Amino acid sequence: MDIMTPEGIISFRGVALPPTFGLVLPILRALGVAEIVDTLCPMKAGNHIRHGTIVEFLILHYLQAAEEVPLYKMEFWAEQCNVHLLFGREACEFNDDRIRRTLEAIYPKLAEIEEAIVAAALRLYNVPTDVVDWDLTHITFAGLHEGSAYVGPGYGDGLMHHKQVHLTVHSTNRYGLPVLHRMLPGNAQQAPYAAELLDAVQERLGRKDVLILSDCAGITYDIMRQYREKGAHFLGPLAMTPAEREQLNSVPLADFRPFKYRSVKDAECVHSYYDTTLDIVRQREATPITVRALFTHTTTRQQADSRDRRRHIKRITDRLDKISSYLNTGKYKRLAYAQEQVDKAVRDMPHIVSATLSGSDGDLQLQVTVDEDAIAREEQFDGRRILVTSKRHAEPDQLYEAYKRHTTIEAAFRIVKGEIRVNAIFLHTDERIAALLATVILALLVFALIGILAERAKLETEHYHKMMTFFDVFLLQ
C-alpha cells in the first residue's frame, strides 16, 4: 500500500505476526526479562543476538496460537510469522545452534534469573503469596537423548514410549504464578524434597508463614511435621487409613454444613463439610499429629463414586464370565489353577462380588453373585473426602476456595506445557534440558499474568475461566 505524504510516497506492506505477541511482549518488557538475562549472562561486545532476545523469542513461541514447531525448525517459524521483525534481526539468526548456546549460557544462572523475574512479577502485579500450591508435574519431549538422569518413560498424546522430565513447581494459589521450580531425577517422589523446597520458597517469598497446598503425595506425616517445625502451614487431601475412613463415615451427612463455593461448570453440585480434628497416626511414628480436618462431601463426587464402583464391579463380573467360559479346558481343567484365577478376579471387592467354584478337576462350575445390599451400604458414604490443615482458625470457606483453585492451576499446566519436540543431539546434556524447562516455566509465569489482567479487566464468559478468556480474545482477532 502506498501513501502520499509531504515528503513523498511511503510504501507499506502487511505482514503476519504471532497472534499473541500483543499480549506477551509487553509483559516480557514490563518484567525486564531480556535485561535480567543479559545482565546475568553478559556477552562480548558486537552485533550479536543477545541471550535475552532468545529467551523472549522462546517464550513467545510457547504462547503462540498455532501448533508448536520443533525447536530445530525455529528459524523457519521466525520467518513464516515474521517474528524476527519484532526483534530487528534476521530470521536465520534464530536457529537451533543459537538457541543451544543460549541454553548453555543461562544454565549456571537459572536460579538467579528466575528469582529476579518472579520478584518483578510479584511486585508489579501485586500477586498474593500467602497460599502456594505445590505440584509434581512433567513435560513430555520427543527426541530426547538417552542416558539422562532426569528422563523417564511416560505417556504423551495417549501413547507410550515418549520421554518425560519430572519437575516440582510451587505456584501462587491465586492466579497460578510459578515462584519456584526444580527438575527432579527420574520418577522422584515429592516427600524427600519437602523440607529443602520449603526453605527455598520461604526465602524467595520473604515469609515463613506461607500455606502450602498439595495433593495427597505432599500431605504425609513427615511433611506435616517438617512444615510445623519451620513455621509454615499445610492444606490438602489426606490419603486415608481404614481407621480414618471409618471416622469419616461415622459422621451423619445431616451434620455437614454447606460451603458457599459453587463450580462454574456444575452450579447444581452441593459442596458441604464437617469441621473437626484428627489424630494422624502412622505405623512407624510413635507421636500422633493432631490436625484440623474438614470432612467434605460433594453431590457430583457422590455420583462419580457410585459410577466408578459399578464399572469396577462390571469389570470383575466380565472377567468371571470369561473364566467360566474357560472352565474344563486347558489349564482351567484343574481346580487349583481355576481357583487362583477366580481369587485374583474378586480380590478388590470380595465383600460385594462372591464367586464359588465347585466340582473337581475337569468338572468345574462357577457361581457368581453380586451383593446389592453391600453396594447400598457403601453408597451411603460416597462423595466423602478429608482435607487436613494446620490453619486452626481460618474460615472453612476460604480453605475450600483455595483447595478448589488448585485444579485451575493444573489446567494451566496442560495448556502451556504441551509436548516439546527437539533433535536428540540438541539436548544431549541435562544442563540444556534444565535451561529449556526454565524457559517453559517463564512462559507459564507470563500466562498467569495474562490471567491476572483478564480477571482484573473482568473479562470472563459463562463457560471459560477468566485466565483463558483474555488469551482467546486476541487469538480470535
Side-chain angles (χ1 to χ4, degrees), residues 9-300:
I9 297 176
I10 299 178
S11 297
F12 293 85
R13 67 183 179 92
V15 296
L17 292 169
T20 60
F21 88 94
L23 277 174
V24 176
L25 277 187
I27 292 176
L28 292 174
R29 302 294 161 79
L31 295 174
V33 170
E35 290 82 357
I36 290 170
V37 172
D38 290 336
T39 299
L40 292 170
C41 307
M43 299 175 62
K44 294 180 180 180
N47 188 30
H48 313 293
I49 186 168
R50 317 303 291 182
H51 296 313
T53 299
I54 293 295
V55 171
E56 282 192 338
F57 173 80
L58 288 172
I59 294 172
L60 180 60
H61 178 255
Y62 297 142
L63 296 177
Q64 65 167 315
E67 182 182 356
E68 291 179 10
V69 300
L71 288 179
Y72 53 89
K73 294 184 178 180
M74 293 293 278
E75 58 192 294
F76 303 109
W77 175 73
E79 183 171 12
Q80 179 184 12
C81 295
N82 298 290
V83 184
H84 59 292
L85 300 178
L86 298 173
F87 300 101
R89 311 296 303 195
E90 296 295 326
C92 61
E93 294 182 86
F94 295 92
N95 56 71
D96 59 346
D97 183 66
R98 183 64 192 84
I99 295 172
R100 173 188 59 78
R101 284 186 278 121
T102 288
L103 296 181
E104 291 174 346
I106 68 174
Y107 171 75
K109 299 292 184 179
L110 289 181
E112 295 173 65
I113 292 171
E114 182 179 75
E115 182 178 8
I117 294 174
V118 167
L122 297 178
R123 181 182 68 255
L124 292 172
Y125 296 90
N126 193 27
V127 182
T129 60
D130 54 329
V131 183
V132 171
D133 287 18
W134 180 26
D135 287 286
L136 182 66
T137 186
H138 67 269
I139 292 182
T140 303
F141 287 80
L144 207 58
H145 77 101
E146 301 291 342
S148 169
Y150 294 95
V151 179
Y155 287 90
D157 296 330
L159 301 173
M160 273 294 292
H161 309 302
H162 285 244
K163 300 170 183 178
Q164 297 176 341
V165 175
H166 296 262
L167 63 158
T168 175
V169 182
H170 285 80
S171 307
T172 61
N173 182 257
R174 290 284 296 176
Y175 310 117
L177 188 145
V179 296
L180 182 81
H181 87 280
R182 293 284 188 274
M183 194 165 70
L184 299 181
N187 294 317
Q189 302 299 311
Q190 286 176 266
Y193 299 91
E196 170 192 342
L197 292 171
L198 176 61
D199 288 339
V201 169
Q202 289 175 322
E203 181 179 357
R204 180 156 295 183
L205 299 181
R207 61 188 304 167
K208 292 287 187 182
D209 63 341
V210 63
L211 170 64
I212 304 294
L213 194 160
S214 183
D215 57 17
C216 292
I219 300 294
T220 66
Y221 181 98
D222 288 337
I223 291 175
M224 288 187 281
R225 177 178 52 79
Q226 291 166 354
Y227 281 10
R228 284 188 167 180
E229 291 172 353
K230 294 177 179 293
H233 296 280
F234 55 83
L235 170 66
L238 181 68
M240 291 177 277
T241 64
E244 290 158 355
R245 166 65 72 178
E246 184 176 352
Q247 187 170 345
L248 170 65
N249 292 345
S250 69
V251 180
L253 194 56
D255 291 348
F256 283 57
R257 301 177 60 185
F259 281 115
K260 295 177 183 177
Y261 174 83
R262 286 294 181 272
S263 169
V264 174
K265 293 184 178 180
D266 189 7
E268 299 301 316
C269 177
V270 177
H271 304 251
S272 55
Y273 72 96
Y274 179 81
D275 200 346
T276 185
T277 59
L278 196 65
D279 289 331
I280 306 297
V281 181
R282 294 299 180 259
Q283 186 175 4
R284 292 179 295 179
E285 306 293 343
T287 306
I289 296 178
T290 302
V291 300
R292 183 182 183 186
L294 296 179
F295 293 177
T296 67
H297 174 271
T298 69
T299 51
T300 298

Side-chain angles (χ1 to χ4, degrees), residues 25 78 122 146 156 183 243 256 303 307 317 352 364 390 417 427:
L25 277 187
L122 297 178
E146 301 291 342
M183 194 165 70
F256 283 57
Q303 296 164 5
R307 286 195 302 270
T317 55
I352 292 178
L364 300 173
S390 55
K417 68 187 184 181
L427 290 184

Side-chain angles (χ1 to χ4, degrees), residues 314-330:
K314 187 176 187 310
R315 285 196 295 270
I316 293 173
T317 55
D318 285 350
R319 172 57 183 158
L320 290 172
D321 287 344
K322 278 187 173 291
I323 292 174
S324 181
S325 68
Y326 296 154
L327 289 180
N328 305 310
T329 62

